[in-house]
Amino acid sequence: DAGITQSPRHKVTETGTPVTLRCHQTENHRYMYWYRQDPGHGLRLIHYSYGVKDTDKGEVSDGYSVSRSKTEDFLLTLESATSSQTSVYFCAISESKFRELFFGEGSRLTVL
Amino acid sequence: KNQVEQSPQSLIILEGKNCTLQCNYTVSPFSNLRWYKQDTGRGPVSLTIMTFSENTKSNGRYTATLDADTKQSSLHITASQLSDSASYICVVSDGSYDKVIFGPGTSLSVIP
């Protein structure tokens, strides 16, 4: 298994509170991604990173920000959580944009 | 609009039987097509990846086919096992960072 650790794995929070999800990799892969998975939808890209301090928006980036200060860590922040952000969040890594994606185990976030 | 559709939405088969899952896509240009297996509560794991020039690829009891002309792919599972119970996700890429389109998945249940 690829060395990807997501934390926390489960979190329940209230509307309006900030939330940060962490993705840590030990593979030294250049590319890191944050996806959300909701029933009836395929995985949707929130943000991605192609290097330290190099990030860009994905399909569903509104309400989310990211940071990557080290190769191994990619943080996803919800500045003010809303109920529509209740979801399962997956971090993924890849060596290059043409190589396969390796996924973490997911972080289940519930916003009440 | 780039889309990936999968059928059936869900499927129940008896252990030992074969099954075929379908994927249709409209993603253009096309770079590669991947099939992932996602166990309940886990992250997706890659099964196969095919480029434009490949029309068949096997991984144990899993065989994927690709018809780039009709933009269709199938995943055939032979001699199913209880451990095959999972969601199978078709993913199509145009080779760019953010245009990796995930299908909604087919939920497969293998029963004794």
Side-chain angles (χ1 to χ4, degrees):
Chain A
D1 290 345
I4 308 170
T5 304
Q6 291 186 228
S7 60
R9 294 291 313 280
H10 301 273
K11 185 172 182 65
V12 179
T13 191
E14 294 186 346
T15 298
T17 60
V19 175
T20 295
L21 306 180
R22 179 180 184 241
C23 178
H24 178 79
Q25 61 146 328
T26 58
E27 306 297 321
N28 200 36
H29 284 359
R30 178 179 175 186
Y31 300 89
M32 299 186 75
Y33 311 81
W34 276 108
Y35 288 91
R36 62 179 288 173
Q37 186 174 42
D38 303 291
H41 292 273
L43 283 144
R44 292 179 291 175
L45 181 67
I46 304 171
H47 281 278
Y48 61 93
S49 169
Y50 44 96
V52 173
K53 296 185 179 180
D54 291 324
T55 65
D56 209 343
K57 297 178 179 180
E59 177 188 1
V60 289
S61 60
D62 287 348
Y64 303 95
S65 63
V66 290
S67 65
R68 192 170 178 197
S69 59
K70 298 185 291 185
T71 298
E72 58 266 34
D73 290 326
F74 193 31
L75 303 181
L76 176 70
T77 297
L78 291 65
E79 299 291 346
S80 178
T82 66
S83 58
S84 64
Q85 293 175 312
T86 292
S87 186
V88 181
Y89 292 85
F90 285 97
C91 174
I93 63 174
S94 66
E95 290 183 88
S96 75
K97 64 181 182 180
F98 297 111
R99 300 300 296 271
E100 72 174 288
L101 294 167
F102 296 96
F103 286 86
E105 293 298 289
S107 295
R108 181 174 294 276
L109 174 67
T110 301
V111 183
L112 302 176
Chain B
K1 180 181 178 182
N2 289 327
Q3 283 187 316
V4 176
E5 298 176 341
Q6 293 187 243
S7 62
Q9 183 176 358
S10 62
L11 182 63
I12 301 173
I13 62 172
L14 291 174
E15 186 179 10
K17 297 297 186 181
N18 304 334
C19 68
T20 300
L21 314 180
Q22 299 291 341
C23 173
N24 296 330
Y25 62 92
T26 59
V27 178
S28 182
F30 173 84
S31 174
N32 60 70
L33 184 146
R34 316 171 193 186
W35 283 94
Y36 283 83
K37 178 187 179 188
Q38 185 176 21
D39 292 319
T40 300
R42 307 291 299 273
V45 175
S46 179
L47 293 175
T48 64
I49 179 170
M50 291 184 290
T51 60
F52 185 89
S53 60
E54 298 173 296
N55 52 27
T56 302
K57 184 162 280 189
S58 293
N59 178 359
R61 295 179 297 102
Y62 301 101
T63 299
T65 65
L66 173 65
D67 185 333
D69 291 332
T70 62
K71 298 187 177 181
Q72 296 179 325
S73 176
S74 65
L75 181 68
H76 186 74
I77 304 174
T78 304
S80 61
Q81 300 176 358
L82 298 178
S83 59
D84 292 331
S85 294
S87 179
Y88 291 84
I89 303 171
C90 176
V91 185
V92 182
S93 172
D94 72 350
S96 65
Y97 301 115
D98 58 348
K99 288 184 180 175
V100 176
I101 310 298
F102 287 76
T106 291
S107 177
L108 175 66
S109 297
V110 180
I111 59 175

